[in-house]
Amino acid sequence: MVNCAGPRSIVARRPRDLRSVGHGADQGEKVCEGGLAWIKPSFLWMMYRCGWGAKAGQETVLAVEISRDGFEWALRHACLSSHVRGAHPDRAAWQRQLKRAPARVQWDPERDLHLRPLPYRSLQLGLSGEAVRRYADEWTVAIRDVTPLAHEIHALVRGGDLASATGLLPQERPYPAEAEALAHLLA
């Protein structure tokens, strides 16, 4: 799911790492996990991942707005992060494609306000090489610190006020992509 106002990713970082966000490929190692920068468009999935901004090394939660052109470039150049029978001729072909692809997609269960898995999946888009450079230097439109929002929503959830918590969630809608543009990622 992606905010229709523009694709965005939610990122959690150590406060000392913030100086490197959006400053080019020369500092990419500071903003990447295992050589990949991950676009995680789902707010609640990211809250699951970073523990509402409380996990060590993930205390700051950023909403990074990126251009639609950049997001769609990454999707067009992406490969599934795991082999799916029928989507690739064979495992070796998938491994070759994955090695060459500057982006990879994995589908993880979406989360509810209690961070429990839901019966549908959200896109996670991993970027490497050329895609990381483009993300940092070309696609990034805005970066907002949403740590206070994450903490506020979490406090409401802990207090049992799910209606108020829901009202504060960033609006997310299914991404309006052409089916054929994503066919290679929907296996």
Side-chain angles (χ1 to χ4, degrees):
M1 299 177 116
V2 176
N3 181 332
C4 286
R8 71 159 193 273
S9 59
I10 309 297
V11 180
R13 293 282 168 244
R14 289 179 183 87
R16 72 174 189 269
D17 290 341
L18 296 180
R19 68 185 180 281
S20 66
V21 174
H23 290 285
D26 61 317
Q27 298 194 22
E29 69 280 357
K30 294 180 184 169
V31 296
C32 299
E33 300 170 15
L36 293 173
W38 285 93
I39 295 175
K40 299 173 190 266
S42 164
F43 183 84
L44 287 174
W45 196 95
M46 192 62 221
M47 294 307 99
Y48 164 74
R49 175 73 171 84
C50 74
W52 296 99
K55 287 185 180 177
Q58 300 181 47
E59 298 92 346
T60 301
V61 183
L62 303 175
V64 181
E65 183 181 345
I66 64 172
S67 70
R68 180 176 295 273
D69 288 343
F71 186 71
E72 291 181 354
W73 183 96
L75 289 176
R76 282 192 313 274
H77 292 86
C79 176
L80 289 170
S81 63
S82 58
H83 179 258
V84 175
R85 196 177 301 227
H88 308 96
D90 55 46
R91 184 172 289 278
W94 164 75
Q95 288 173 328
R96 285 189 303 276
Q97 183 183 8
L98 184 63
K99 190 172 185 173
R100 288 189 316 264
R104 62 183 61 182
V105 164
Q106 64 187 45
W107 297 95
D108 293 321
E110 180 54 84
R111 301 291 166 158
D112 67 12
L113 281 168
H114 294 287
L115 308 182
R116 297 176 299 220
L118 292 169
Y120 55 93
R121 296 186 174 266
S122 288
L123 174 109
Q124 314 300 323
L125 183 60
L127 308 176
S128 64
E130 178 184 2
V132 170
R133 183 196 58 74
R134 287 175 178 247
Y135 175 68
D137 296 340
E138 299 171 18
W139 303 343
T140 300
V141 174
I143 301 173
R144 285 184 309 112
D145 183 349
V146 294
T147 308
L149 176 63
H151 293 166
E152 183 179 2
I153 293 171
H154 187 217
L156 290 167
V157 171
R158 280 194 325 258
D161 189 353
L162 300 185
S164 294
T166 299
L168 292 177
L169 289 173
Q171 188 177 23
E172 296 176 349
R173 294 179 285 221
Y175 188 73
E178 308 261 339
E180 60 272 6
L182 296 179
H184 67 292
L185 303 173
L186 297 175

